[in-house]
Amino acid sequence: MADLSGKRSALFASVCMFPFVCSALHAQTTGNVSHSSHAKKAVKSAHHAKKGNVGKHVTKQGGIIQSIQVIGNDRVETPTVLSYMLAQPGDPFNKDLLDRSLKTLYATGLFKDITFHRSGNDLQIKVVENPIVNVVAFEGNKKLKDADLTKYTSLKPRAVYSPALISEDRKRILAMYAAKGRYSVTVTPQIIHLSKNRIDVIYKINEGPKTAIEKLTFVGNHAFSEARLAQVTSSKETAWYRFLSSSDEYNPERVKYDAELIRRFYIRNGFVDFKMINATGELSPDHKSFYITYTMSEGPQYRLNKVDVRSNLEGVKPEKVREMIAMRKGQFYDGKEIEDVAKNIEETLQSQGHPFAVVRPEIARNPEKKRVDLLFDVMEGPRVYVERIDINGNTVTKDNVIRRELPAAENDPYTNTTEKYMKMAVDDLGYFKEVKVQQVKGSAADKRVVAINVQEKPTGEFSLGGGYSTDSGVLGNIGLRQRNFLGTGVDAGISGTAAYYAKQVNLSVTDPYFLNKNMVAGIDLFYIQNSYQTYQNYGEDRFGASFRLGYSFNNVLSQQWTYSIIDRRVHDIWDDSSYYILDQKGHSLLSQLSTTIAYDTRDARFNPHTGTLVKVGGDLAGLGGDAKYVRGKLDASHYFPLDDLTGNRDWTLSLTAGTGYIADWGNKDDTMIIDNFYLGGNNLRGFYDGGVGPRSHGIPKRGDNRAHTQEDFLGGRFMYTASAQVNFPMPAARDLGLSGRYFVDMGALGGLRVKNRYTNSAHDGDKYTGVYGDSLSPRVSTGAGVSWKSPFGLLNVDFGYPVVKQKHDRTQLVRFGFGQQF
C-alpha cells in the first residue's frame, strides 16, 4: 500500500508539471531573451546580468553570428554600442559570451533596459537608453552652498542618468554635512521627467540641527579630574555660550586629535607608561547628540632620578653639554621638555661647527621607585649634503625671494631639521597658501635634492575698518597694500585714518632684502593731524618722511636706524591756555636720527608666553632743523609661563620696566613740549593720558577773577615705569575668544622742559604761571582688563584704580578700545 500510494503521488506531480515543462521548451525553441520594459524588471534583469544568472536570455546554442543590429538607440550611436560587445560577427552563438556581453553593456550605465534576440543567424540588440540629466539642483541647504555641493557630487548636467550615481552623491552629501557636525541630515533625491528623455534631479535636503557633543566621559583617570581633562581636549560639551564656536560639534578627526592631546598631557606630567586604550563617539538614537568616551590607562607618575650626558662627538665634552641642561633631579618627568632640550642641544652644537650632531634622549624606568634615569646621547649622524634645491609652483614670486630666506643652500650640510626650517622660512613669507618640502636621494648616497613646492596666494589687501578708542574717539580707516610687489618681496601700501580727534595718511614701502643683503630698508611718507583737545588744549600737524634701515646680528639681536625729517605745526591753541602752550604756536622742523637695538627671545610677537625683550634706543635731533636734543630710552620685559603652577598654558606672568631721559643741547627757543615724555593711559593705567607729570593752569581772560579752570599738560624730561601683569583664561575663553588680565602699574614723570619758565612771580609779572605735578614720587595703580576677539573686532577694556597718586593727578577708571578691519 505504501509503494502504491507513492507512485500515485509521483504521477500526480508529473501531470501538474507538464504545462510548465512545455512552456520552457517553447521559450527555448523561439530563442527570445527579452527583458521587461518596466523599470523595476529592468533593474532586476540588470541584477541577474551582473550575477551571470541570465540563462533564460541565452539563445539556442550553435551557429555563427552573421550580423548584429542595434534597435532603439537614439543618442548612443550604433558603433558605440557594438564597441562594448564582446560577441562580434563571426563568433559562435555562445551562452557565456553573450552573458558577458550583456553585463558589459549594463556596466556602461547608458541603458536601463537591454534585450538580446536571435533571428536566424542574426543577433538583434534592443536597448532603452537612460535619460540625460538636464538640471541638478539642491533645495533646503543653508549650511552648505550650492557651489560646494556641486563640486563634490559626480552627477552633472548633460550627463547620463544613473541610479548608482545618485546613490553615491547622496552619500557624499551626507558625509559633507557630517564633516560640519550634522548627522541628522536627510537627503531625498527627486526625479522630474521631461520631454526628449530628459530629467531634472533635485536633492531635497533637511539639514536639521547640528549634532552637538552632549557629554565627554573619561574612563581610567585617577590623577586628574574629568573637568581638568576636559580643559585639555579641543572638543567641548555643548553649552549656550558656544553659539559662536564649533568646538561642541562632533568631528571624528578631532576626537583622534584630542586623544593625542590627552596622551601628550600625561607624558608632560610624568606618566611615562600612559596608554590611550580607546576614543569613541556614540551617536544618540535621535541623531541629535554624541557621547564621547576616552578610555585610558595612566600608569604611575615618574620623577627624574639621574640626568647624564654621553658624548661620542669629537671636540664636544659631556661637561659642555651639561651646561645646556636646566632639568634637575626630583622634578616630574616631562617628555615635551626632554624633546625640547635635546633639540636645543642639537641645534646649538650644529651652530657651533658640528653640523651633523645628533642628540638622542634615552630613559631607563624604575617602576618600583617611580624614577626615571635620563641620558642624552650625543653623537655624529650621517654626513649628508644638499646637492640641489628646486623651487616649483612660484608663478609670481621670484626664485631669489624664496632662496634668500632658506637656512641652507647647495653643498650645505643636510640634517634632520633642514626640511623643517626650510618650510618654516618659506611659510613665514606669507606669500603662499601651501608649502611642501620634499627630499630625494641625489646623485650619490650622501647627496640630497630638496624640492620646495609652493602654491601662490593673493598678497594684495584692500581694507576698510572702523572702531572706537579712548584716545581718538570714533574712527574709520581705509588701506591698500601689496605685500609682494611684482613678486620681489617688497611691501608697499597706502592707508588713511579719520577719527574724531585725529587724521592720518601714510605711504610706506619696505624692502626686506635691501641691496640683496640681510638688511631691511624702507621709507614712510606721512601726514598726521591731531586735535586731542580732550586733554591737550591745542592741535598738532605733522608732515614728513622717515627712512629706515635694519639688520640682524643673529636670531635674537637686531638693530634699526631711522632718519626722520618732519615739519610740525602747533595751532588752534585755546585762548585761555597757559603761556607755556602759547609759546609753542607755529612751525618747527625736526631733523632726527634714531637707533634701536633689540634683544628678543620671545616665543611670539603677539601674546608671548615666554622669553625676554630688551630695547635700547636713542634719538639725536639737530642735524639741521630747529629742535636740538638727545633722548635715550630703555625698555625691558620678561615673560614667565605659569604652566607648572596652573597646569594651563594660558597663564602667563609678564614683568616690564622702562625709563627715558631727554637732554637739550641747543637754545631754549628750540624746545618743544611735543617732544617731551608723557605718562598716563596706556603706559600707566588708571590715570588719564598725560595725567601724571608737570601741568599748569591756563591764564584767565582779562577782567575774569574766577579761579583757574583750564589745565595744560606739559610733559616731562625724565620718566620711569614698571608693570606686573598676569594673563589668564576666562570661563568659555576658547569659545568666546575671551582672555583676562590683572595688573599693577607704577611710574612717575618729572623735569619741567619748556621754552620759557614763568614760575618766578617777582620776575614774570602778569605772565607768572605756576607748575604743579613735577614730582618723581611713584604713582601706583592696579586693576583688571578683558580682551574679546569678537566677530566684530578686538575689544579691549581695562579698569584701573589709582592706589598711590598725587594731589593734582588726573585719573581715569575705565579705558577701552575697539576696532575691526574687513
Side-chain angles (χ1 to χ4, degrees), residues 55 64 101 124 140 214 242 271 284 295 323 325-326 402 459 462 490 548 589 592 597 633 640 667 780 782-783:
I64 301 298
S101 296
Q124 294 180 349
E214 185 68 26
R242 293 198 170 99
F271 294 86
S284 65
T295 305
E323 296 175 356
I325 303 173
I402 300 175
T459 54
F462 174 73
V490 172
R548 296 173 278 110
L589 183 65
Q592 176 177 282
I597 298 177
K633 292 172 287 185
F640 299 88
N667 297 323
V780 180
T782 186

Side-chain angles (χ1 to χ4, degrees), residues 728-746:
F728 55 86
M730 298 184 67
R734 291 184 180 178
D735 303 291
L736 294 179
L738 288 171
S739 60
R741 55 188 168 270
Y742 171 74
F743 61 85
V744 177
D745 289 351
M746 184 270 287

